[in-house]
Amino acid sequence: MALDTDTPLNSLGFAKAPADTRVVVAMSGGVDSSVVAAVLADEGYDVVGVTLQLYDHGAALAKKGACCAGLDIHDARRVAEERGFPHYVLDYENIFKDAVIDEFADSYLAGATPVPCIRCNERVKFKDLLETARDLDADCMATGHYIQRKVGANGPELHSAEDSARDQSYFLFSTTPEQLDYLRFPLGHLPSKAETRALAAKYGLSVADKPDSQDICFVPNGNYAAVIEKLRPDAADPGEIVHADGRVLGQHDGIIHYTIGQRRGLGIGGLSDPLYVVRLDVDKRQVIVGPKELLATRTVPVREINWLGDVPLTSQSDWHISVKVRSTRPPREAILRPITETTATVELLDAEEGVSPGQACVFYETGGSRIFGGGWIWRG
């Protein structure tokens, strides 16, 4: 069908009236996605709200501070009723367990520090939910993520949010070009969260003052070890705490209680110099500790790369970019050296402490806002 060049593009980038543009909004029940749905409904779009039930409601209803719980489904439905658009709840419990929770448990037991929110975006929200949106004949799917989609010379590009304090690009690096073509992020250009809450108040949303979610949705109070023990009852096998020089310093009650870079709660007091967890040896059930300088590294092996550049990753022998190796740290300058289309070595110009297998390494334009994708850190 030829594009009608006389019709101006609407705010979602389509050459038709908002009323003729169907958009599925992924609604978590929080203020961000609720505002997205309310704004688009107010602009006259054909909005359909969809909320995912990702895990057992019995556990969900008893806790606060995480998304996708039973209360959140109720809140999403209420916003849809208030603003007058249809809302559906999809049971994705089995998909979520297979695609996210089981891998989280396995990688944690393998001594990695996983980021399940990335896998959830990659394997559930931007895969199965996106397919559901297509099945509903939606023109696009919108979310409340703080990230920007800009159309460049070669198609849609991923850019950091205007508000660096809210930027969620680290958790969305695995978004593929095809997904990016279909997705919209209406909040990414806002200067701060205050504007989002002001919009929620303007539309009289019941969630206007709802606190932000803090925890991983299936990890109550951030207690990873308790969740792993429940999923893998044999995970808390005891072992030795060993200094990097080979000395046995004490015993531990399961490596699941330790993460790379941890200093407190090691259970080996009375030492003159502070010690940090520098490595986890799963096969020997050993927690290796040492001085802080042993945490520093400049070489980061990366695999499962999702590349969002304009030319193939392997078209250059090296790329001068910036990278984030943790969500809470600013991008640092680095050299990306591709090995294959999906594997590479990243050389940090300045050594970084606490680089951990299982975390993401996300690629950024140095001095700019564009995201060139990223990959998963592993031991090499």
Side-chain angles (χ1 to χ4, degrees):
M1 188 179 78
L3 188 68
D4 181 359
T5 52
D6 295 329
T7 306
L9 297 182
N10 61 33
S11 65
L12 293 177
F14 298 99
K16 52 185 176 179
D20 299 323
T21 307
R22 176 170 291 172
V23 52
V24 163
V25 179
M27 299 182 69
S28 67
V31 66
D32 298 325
S33 55
S34 297
V35 164
V36 167
V39 168
L40 293 176
D42 186 60
E43 289 180 7
Y45 287 98
D46 177 9
V47 172
V48 179
V50 174
T51 301
L52 303 182
Q53 179 186 320
L54 296 179
Y55 62 100
D56 176 60
H57 270 193
L61 288 167
K63 65 181 289 282
K64 296 178 180 176
C67 73
C68 314
L71 178 64
D72 294 321
I73 290 173
H74 168 77
D75 286 342
R77 182 181 289 127
R78 197 165 143 201
V79 167
E81 286 174 0
E82 289 168 357
R83 304 308 304 175
F85 57 83
H87 175 260
Y88 301 99
V89 178
L90 303 180
D91 184 353
Y92 275 33
E93 248 179 75
N94 291 338
I95 293 171
F96 187 66
K97 184 177 187 304
D98 293 344
V100 180
I101 296 181
D102 284 344
E103 187 197 60
F104 170 81
D106 293 339
S107 61
Y108 213 88
L109 289 179
T113 309
V115 193
C117 300
I118 298 175
R119 289 302 197 195
C120 182
N121 288 327
E122 175 189 325
R123 296 175 174 177
V124 181
K125 291 177 182 171
F126 292 175
K127 182 172 175 277
D128 294 283
L129 178 56
L130 200 135
E131 285 307 312
T132 298
R134 292 189 194 277
D135 291 342
L136 290 168
D137 290 327
D139 294 281
C140 64
M141 185 172 96
T143 79
H145 288 107
Y146 286 87
I147 193 165
Q148 297 189 80
R149 172 192 182 276
K150 298 182 179 182
V151 180
N154 294 288
E157 301 172 352
L158 206 58
H159 287 258
S160 301
E162 189 68 28
D163 178 9
S164 59
R166 306 293 309 179
D167 178 59
Q168 290 175 293
S169 57
Y170 184 84
F171 300 99
L172 296 165
F173 80 84
S174 61
T175 307
T176 65
E178 183 189 25
Q179 291 167 346
L180 193 55
D181 194 50
Y182 194 68
L183 288 162
R184 301 293 187 273
F185 308 107
L187 301 183
H189 68 286
L190 295 180
S192 76
K193 180 70 177 245
E195 278 74 15
T196 307
R197 293 212 180 269
L199 284 167
K202 172 187 170 183
Y203 290 110
L205 301 184
S206 50
V207 294
D209 298 319
K210 187 173 179 176
D212 291 339
S213 59
Q214 302 295 334
D215 300 332
I216 295 168
C217 66
F218 60 91
V219 183
N221 309 318
N223 189 346
Y224 290 19
V227 172
I228 304 294
E229 281 188 72
K230 196 173 173 184
L231 294 167
R232 305 284 189 271
D234 58 348
D237 290 340
E240 295 175 333
I241 299 175
V242 182
H243 194 283
D245 64 14
R247 289 176 290 150
V248 176
L249 301 179
Q251 301 291 312
H252 66 77
D253 56 0
I255 63 169
I256 59 170
H257 298 286
Y258 299 86
T259 56
I260 305 292
Q262 180 179 334
R263 178 186 170 190
R264 301 185 186 283
L266 301 183
I268 46 171
L271 298 164
S272 55
D273 297 318
L275 295 176
Y276 298 78
V277 176
V278 297
R279 195 161 53 85
L280 299 170
D281 190 324
V282 178
D283 296 330
K284 295 181 181 177
R285 297 206 302 271
Q286 288 182 337
V287 175
I288 318 297
V289 298
K292 193 176 186 181
E293 54 264 27
L294 289 184
L295 282 172
T297 185
R298 285 186 57 193
T299 305
V300 184
V302 182
R303 62 184 175 185
E304 289 184 69
I305 289 172
N306 178 55
W307 179 246
L308 294 174
D310 294 327
V311 295
L313 175 64
T314 52
S315 64
Q316 291 182 200
S317 59
D318 53 53
W319 297 82
H320 290 256
I321 57 169
S322 292
V323 301
K324 269 191 187 188
V325 292
R326 292 212 173 205
S327 63
T328 53
R329 297 186 183 172
R332 302 280 185 90
E333 286 192 55
I335 301 169
L336 171 66
R337 294 192 171 91
I339 300 168
T340 69
E341 292 288 356
T342 57
T343 60
T345 300
V346 171
E347 181 190 336
L348 304 171
L349 298 196
D350 295 307
E352 182 90 47
E353 292 172 353
V355 175
S356 176
Q359 296 277 306
C361 179
V362 181
F363 311 149
Y364 294 83
E365 172 189 15
T366 299
S369 62
R370 189 170 176 188
I371 293 119
F372 290 118
W376 295 93
I377 300 168
W378 65 303
R379 288 190 174 81

